[in-house]
PDB file of all heavy atoms in Angstrom:
ATOM      1  N   GLY A 420    -111.750  36.514  14.810  1.00  0.00           N
ATOM      2  CA  GLY A 420    -110.857  36.604  15.951  1.00  0.00           C
ATOM      3  C   GLY A 420    -109.479  36.050  15.631  1.00  0.00           C
ATOM      4  O   GLY A 420    -109.271  35.333  14.643  1.00  0.00           O
ATOM      5  N   VAL A 421    -108.521  36.383  16.511  1.00  0.00           N
ATOM      6  CA  VAL A 421    -107.134  35.975  16.287  1.00  0.00           C
ATOM      7  C   VAL A 421    -106.990  34.460  16.355  1.00  0.00           C
ATOM      8  O   VAL A 421    -106.276  33.850  15.550  1.00  0.00           O
ATOM      9  CB  VAL A 421    -106.207  36.654  17.317  1.00  0.00           C
ATOM     10  CG1 VAL A 421    -104.784  36.120  17.194  1.00  0.00           C
ATOM     11  CG2 VAL A 421    -106.217  38.161  17.129  1.00  0.00           C
ATOM     12  N   ARG A 422    -107.683  33.827  17.297  1.00  0.00           N
ATOM     13  CA  ARG A 422    -107.551  32.374  17.433  1.00  0.00           C
ATOM     14  C   ARG A 422    -108.002  31.649  16.173  1.00  0.00           C
ATOM     15  O   ARG A 422    -107.359  30.691  15.734  1.00  0.00           O
ATOM     16  CB  ARG A 422    -108.368  31.901  18.634  1.00  0.00           C
ATOM     17  CG  ARG A 422    -108.294  30.395  18.870  1.00  0.00           C
ATOM     18  CD  ARG A 422    -109.018  29.990  20.117  1.00  0.00           C
ATOM     19  NE  ARG A 422    -108.400  30.592  21.298  1.00  0.00           N
ATOM     20  CZ  ARG A 422    -108.840  30.378  22.543  1.00  0.00           C
ATOM     21  NH1 ARG A 422    -109.894  29.591  22.754  1.00  0.00           N
ATOM     22  NH2 ARG A 422    -108.223  30.949  23.562  1.00  0.00           N
ATOM     23  N   GLU A 423    -109.061  32.110  15.574  1.00  0.00           N
ATOM     24  CA  GLU A 423    -109.534  31.466  14.343  1.00  0.00           C
ATOM     25  C   GLU A 423    -108.576  31.734  13.188  1.00  0.00           C
ATOM     26  O   GLU A 423    -108.365  30.854  12.334  1.00  0.00           O
ATOM     27  CB  GLU A 423    -110.937  31.981  14.000  1.00  0.00           C
ATOM     28  CG  GLU A 423    -111.538  31.392  12.736  1.00  0.00           C
ATOM     29  CD  GLU A 423    -111.761  29.892  12.816  1.00  0.00           C
ATOM     30  OE1 GLU A 423    -111.776  29.339  13.933  1.00  0.00           O
ATOM     31  OE2 GLU A 423    -111.888  29.267  11.737  1.00  0.00           O
ATOM     32  N   GLU A 424    -107.970  32.930  13.138  1.00  0.00           N
ATOM     33  CA  GLU A 424    -106.993  33.226  12.088  1.00  0.00           C
ATOM     34  C   GLU A 424    -105.778  32.310  12.198  1.00  0.00           C
ATOM     35  O   GLU A 424    -105.265  31.795  11.201  1.00  0.00           O
ATOM     36  CB  GLU A 424    -106.548  34.690  12.175  1.00  0.00           C
ATOM     37  CG  GLU A 424    -107.609  35.698  11.802  1.00  0.00           C
ATOM     38  CD  GLU A 424    -107.947  35.671  10.320  1.00  0.00           C
ATOM     39  OE1 GLU A 424    -107.109  35.187   9.523  1.00  0.00           O
ATOM     40  OE2 GLU A 424    -109.051  36.103   9.961  1.00  0.00           O
ATOM     41  N   VAL A 425    -105.311  32.072  13.432  1.00  0.00           N
ATOM     42  CA  VAL A 425    -104.181  31.181  13.640  1.00  0.00           C
ATOM     43  C   VAL A 425    -104.547  29.747  13.260  1.00  0.00           C
ATOM     44  O   VAL A 425    -103.758  29.029  12.635  1.00  0.00           O
ATOM     45  CB  VAL A 425    -103.702  31.260  15.098  1.00  0.00           C
ATOM     46  CG1 VAL A 425    -102.625  30.217  15.366  1.00  0.00           C
ATOM     47  CG2 VAL A 425    -103.174  32.649  15.400  1.00  0.00           C
ATOM     48  N   ARG A 426    -105.751  29.323  13.623  1.00  0.00           N
ATOM     49  CA  ARG A 426    -106.177  27.971  13.267  1.00  0.00           C
ATOM     50  C   ARG A 426    -106.230  27.790  11.758  1.00  0.00           C
ATOM     51  O   ARG A 426    -105.777  26.782  11.209  1.00  0.00           O
ATOM     52  CB  ARG A 426    -107.547  27.685  13.881  1.00  0.00           C
ATOM     53  CG  ARG A 426    -107.989  26.214  13.767  1.00  0.00           C
ATOM     54  CD  ARG A 426    -109.459  26.047  14.060  1.00  0.00           C
ATOM     55  NE  ARG A 426    -110.270  26.617  12.998  1.00  0.00           N
ATOM     56  CZ  ARG A 426    -110.545  25.990  11.835  1.00  0.00           C
ATOM     57  NH1 ARG A 426    -110.049  24.773  11.595  1.00  0.00           N
ATOM     58  NH2 ARG A 426    -111.291  26.584  10.921  1.00  0.00           N
ATOM     59  N   ARG A 427    -106.791  28.754  11.052  1.00  0.00           N
ATOM     60  CA  ARG A 427    -106.866  28.678   9.583  1.00  0.00           C
ATOM     61  C   ARG A 427    -105.465  28.691   8.959  1.00  0.00           C
ATOM     62  O   ARG A 427    -105.239  28.068   7.928  1.00  0.00           O
ATOM     63  CB  ARG A 427    -107.702  29.843   9.039  1.00  0.00           C
ATOM     64  CG  ARG A 427    -109.189  29.714   9.322  1.00  0.00           C
ATOM     65  CD  ARG A 427    -109.923  30.992   8.908  1.00  0.00           C
ATOM     66  NE  ARG A 427    -109.727  31.276   7.496  1.00  0.00           N
ATOM     67  CZ  ARG A 427    -110.476  30.769   6.514  1.00  0.00           C
ATOM     68  NH1 ARG A 427    -111.471  29.943   6.810  1.00  0.00           N
ATOM     69  NH2 ARG A 427    -110.251  31.086   5.257  1.00  0.00           N
ATOM     70  N   PHE A 428    -104.551  29.425   9.598  1.00  0.00           N
ATOM     71  CA  PHE A 428    -103.184  29.479   9.080  1.00  0.00           C
ATOM     72  C   PHE A 428    -102.554  28.084   9.065  1.00  0.00           C
ATOM     73  O   PHE A 428    -101.890  27.702   8.099  1.00  0.00           O
ATOM     74  CB  PHE A 428    -102.349  30.431   9.934  1.00  0.00           C
ATOM     75  CG  PHE A 428    -100.876  30.430   9.636  1.00  0.00           C
ATOM     76  CD1 PHE A 428    -100.377  31.090   8.525  1.00  0.00           C
ATOM     77  CD2 PHE A 428     -99.984  29.758  10.456  1.00  0.00           C
ATOM     78  CE1 PHE A 428     -99.020  31.087   8.239  1.00  0.00           C
ATOM     79  CE2 PHE A 428     -98.630  29.742  10.191  1.00  0.00           C
ATOM     80  CZ  PHE A 428     -98.144  30.411   9.079  1.00  0.00           C
ATOM     81  N   PHE A 429    -102.744  27.331  10.131  1.00  0.00           N
ATOM     82  CA  PHE A 429    -102.142  25.999  10.211  1.00  0.00           C
ATOM     83  C   PHE A 429    -102.969  24.921   9.517  1.00  0.00           C
ATOM     84  O   PHE A 429    -102.401  23.933   9.026  1.00  0.00           O
ATOM     85  CB  PHE A 429    -101.913  25.607  11.676  1.00  0.00           C
ATOM     86  CG  PHE A 429    -100.778  26.329  12.329  1.00  0.00           C
ATOM     87  CD1 PHE A 429    -101.013  27.380  13.209  1.00  0.00           C
ATOM     88  CD2 PHE A 429     -99.466  25.977  12.055  1.00  0.00           C
ATOM     89  CE1 PHE A 429     -99.969  28.049  13.800  1.00  0.00           C
ATOM     90  CE2 PHE A 429     -98.407  26.644  12.646  1.00  0.00           C
ATOM     91  CZ  PHE A 429     -98.659  27.687  13.527  1.00  0.00           C
ATOM     92  N   MET A 430    -104.255  25.101   9.443  1.00  0.00           N
ATOM     93  CA  MET A 430    -105.111  24.049   8.899  1.00  0.00           C
ATOM     94  C   MET A 430    -105.431  24.227   7.424  1.00  0.00           C
ATOM     95  O   MET A 430    -105.961  23.301   6.795  1.00  0.00           O
ATOM     96  CB  MET A 430    -106.417  23.989   9.691  1.00  0.00           C
ATOM     97  CG  MET A 430    -106.240  23.694  11.170  1.00  0.00           C
ATOM     98  SD  MET A 430    -105.352  22.145  11.477  1.00  0.00           S
ATOM     99  CE  MET A 430    -106.518  20.965  10.803  1.00  0.00           C
ATOM    100  N   CYS A 431    -105.134  25.391   6.855  1.00  0.00           N
ATOM    101  CA  CYS A 431    -105.489  25.647   5.452  1.00  0.00           C
ATOM    102  C   CYS A 431    -104.267  26.107   4.651  1.00  0.00           C
ATOM    103  O   CYS A 431    -104.181  27.272   4.215  1.00  0.00           O
ATOM    104  CB  CYS A 431    -106.593  26.698   5.367  1.00  0.00           C
ATOM    105  SG  CYS A 431    -108.099  26.243   6.243  1.00  0.00           S
ATOM    106  N   PRO A 432    -103.287  25.248   4.443  1.00  0.00           N
ATOM    107  CA  PRO A 432    -102.109  25.642   3.658  1.00  0.00           C
ATOM    108  C   PRO A 432    -102.406  25.647   2.167  1.00  0.00           C
ATOM    109  O   PRO A 432    -103.404  25.077   1.712  1.00  0.00           O
ATOM    110  CB  PRO A 432    -101.086  24.559   4.011  1.00  0.00           C
ATOM    111  CG  PRO A 432    -101.923  23.346   4.260  1.00  0.00           C
ATOM    112  CD  PRO A 432    -103.187  23.847   4.921  1.00  0.00           C
TER     113      PRO A 432
END
Side-chain angles (χ1 to χ4, degrees):
V421 174
R422 180 175 297 181
E423 180 63 18
E424 291 291 339
V425 174
R426 190 194 70 81
R427 288 173 59 86
F428 172 77
F429 287 103
M430 300 303 295
C431 301

